[in-house]
C-alpha cells in the first residue's frame, strides 16, 4: 500500500487539498451561473454572446458534476479516476470562456464602451419615476455604467485564466495522485 507523504500547502494532506479544490470548483461554477443572469439581463449584449456563454457553462457543469460525484461517492479507484478529468474539463471551459469574452468584445460587440448593469446599495437596480405610485406596471429599465472595452475584457478574463491555470496544475497533481492510489480501495492522505 502506498502512503502519501506529499502535502498541500505544507500542512494538509493532498486528499484534503483536492477536496478543497473541488469545493472551490463548485463555487466557481455557481458564480458563472450567476454571471449568466447578469449577461441575460443586459440589453446591450447580443443573444449570441449569451448562448455561447451558456454552452461553455454547460461544459463547466459537466466538470462540476464529475467532481460532485467524487465528493458524494464512496472513496474507490473508480470514483477517484474522475477527478483529473473534472479538472481538465474545468480548465478547458475556463480557457474557452476567456477566449469567448475576448473574441466577442473585440470583434462582435457593436459599442465603443461596454455597458454593465449596476445596482446601488439599497436600490433594486431599476430606474423608476418616484411620482408614479404604480411604477410596477411601468416597464423598468436597468441602470448601466460604462467601461472601456480593454478594462472590461481584462476584468472578466483574468479570473477564468487564473482558474484555468490552477485547474490545469491540479490536473497534473491529481492524475499522479490517482495513479499512485489506483490499487487501494481507500486513498489515505
Amino acid at each position: 500500500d502506498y502512503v502519501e507523504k506529499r502535502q498541500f500547502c505544507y500542512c494538509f494532506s493532498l486528499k484534503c487539498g483536492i477536496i478543497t479544490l473541488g469545493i472551490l470548483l463548485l463555487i466557481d461554477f455557481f458564480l458563472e451561473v450567476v454571471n449568466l443572469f447578469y449577461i441575460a439581463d443586459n440589453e446591450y449584449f447580443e443573444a449570441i454572446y449569451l448562448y455561447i456563454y451558456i454552452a461553455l457553462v454547460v461544459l463547466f457543469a459537466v466538470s462540476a458534476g464529475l467532481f460532485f460525484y467524487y465528493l458524494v461517492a464512496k472513496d474507490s479507484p473508480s470514483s477517484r479516476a474522475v477527478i483529473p478529468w473534472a479538472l481538465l474539463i474545468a480548465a478547458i471551459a475556463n480557457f474557452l470562456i476567456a477566449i469567448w469574452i475576448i473574441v466577442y468584445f473585440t470583434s462582435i460587440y457593436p459599442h465603443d464602451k461596454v455597458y454593465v448593469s449596476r445596482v446601488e446599495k439599497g436600490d433594486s437596480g431599476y430606474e423608476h419615476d418616484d411620482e408614479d405610485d404604480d411604477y410596477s406596471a411601468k416597464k423598468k429599465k436597468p441602470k448601466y455604467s460604462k467601461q472601456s472595452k480593454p478594462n472590461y475584457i481584462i476584468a472578466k478574463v483574468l479570473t477564468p485564466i487564473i482558474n484555468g491555470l490552477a485547474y490545469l496544475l491540479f490536473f497534473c497533481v491529481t492524475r499522479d495522485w490517482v495513479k499512485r492510489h489506483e490499487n487501494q480501495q481507500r486513498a489515505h492522505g
Side-chain angles (χ1 to χ4, degrees), residues 55-89:
L56 298 174
V57 171
V58 166
L59 180 64
F60 202 7
V62 170
S63 169
L66 287 171
F67 218 106
F68 186 74
Y69 165 74
Y70 169 72
L71 292 176
V72 298
K74 185 178 178 183
D75 190 17
S76 68
S78 63
S79 67
R80 286 189 300 269
V82 300
I83 298 171
W85 296 110
L87 292 171
L88 183 62
I89 293 169

Side-chain angles (χ1 to χ4, degrees), residues 37-53:
F37 287 105
Y38 284 110
I39 292 170
D41 192 40
N42 192 324
E43 63 190 39
Y44 290 96
F45 295 157
E46 297 175 31
I48 189 74
Y49 180 59
L50 175 66
Y51 297 146
I52 292 178
Y53 208 98

Side-chain angles (χ1 to χ4, degrees), residues 4-157:
E4 188 66 57
K5 293 185 170 123
R6 296 180 296 171
Q7 293 184 327
F8 178 76
C9 292
Y10 300 104
C11 56
F12 300 109
S13 70
L14 196 55
K15 184 176 182 178
C16 178
I18 291 169
I19 291 171
T20 302
L21 182 71
I23 293 169
L24 291 174
L25 185 143
L26 294 174
I27 291 170
D28 186 23
F29 169 69
F30 173 74
L31 292 175
E32 287 297 338
V33 170
V34 169
N35 197 24
L36 281 175
F37 287 105
Y38 284 110
I39 292 170
D41 192 40
N42 192 324
E43 63 190 39
Y44 290 96
F45 295 157
E46 297 175 31
I48 189 74
Y49 180 59
L50 175 66
Y51 297 146
I52 292 178
Y53 208 98
I54 287 171
L56 298 174
V57 171
V58 166
L59 180 64
F60 202 7
V62 170
S63 169
L66 287 171
F67 218 106
F68 186 74
Y69 165 74
Y70 169 72
L71 292 176
V72 298
K74 185 178 178 183
D75 190 17
S76 68
S78 63
S79 67
R80 286 189 300 269
V82 300
I83 298 171
W85 296 110
L87 292 171
L88 183 62
I89 293 169
I92 291 169
N94 272 277
F95 290 139
L96 288 175
I97 286 171
I99 290 168
W100 174 235
I101 291 170
I102 292 168
V103 167
Y104 178 75
F105 286 102
T106 58
S107 303
I108 302 171
Y109 189 71
H111 306 286
D112 294 333
K113 299 279 185 180
V114 179
Y115 294 90
V116 182
S117 301
R118 65 180 168 94
V119 178
E120 295 175 359
K121 190 174 183 177
D123 189 6
S124 67
Y126 293 94
E127 293 179 356
H128 62 275
D129 190 2
D130 289 335
E131 296 172 4
D132 187 5
D133 291 335
D134 191 20
Y135 70 85
S136 60
K138 191 174 159 182
K139 182 173 168 73
K140 298 178 182 179
K141 294 183 179 180
K143 297 178 183 178
Y144 293 95
S145 62
K146 294 180 189 178
Q147 287 185 358
S148 70
K149 281 186 181 182
N151 286 347
Y152 183 82
I153 290 170
I154 289 170
K156 291 296 181 181
V157 165

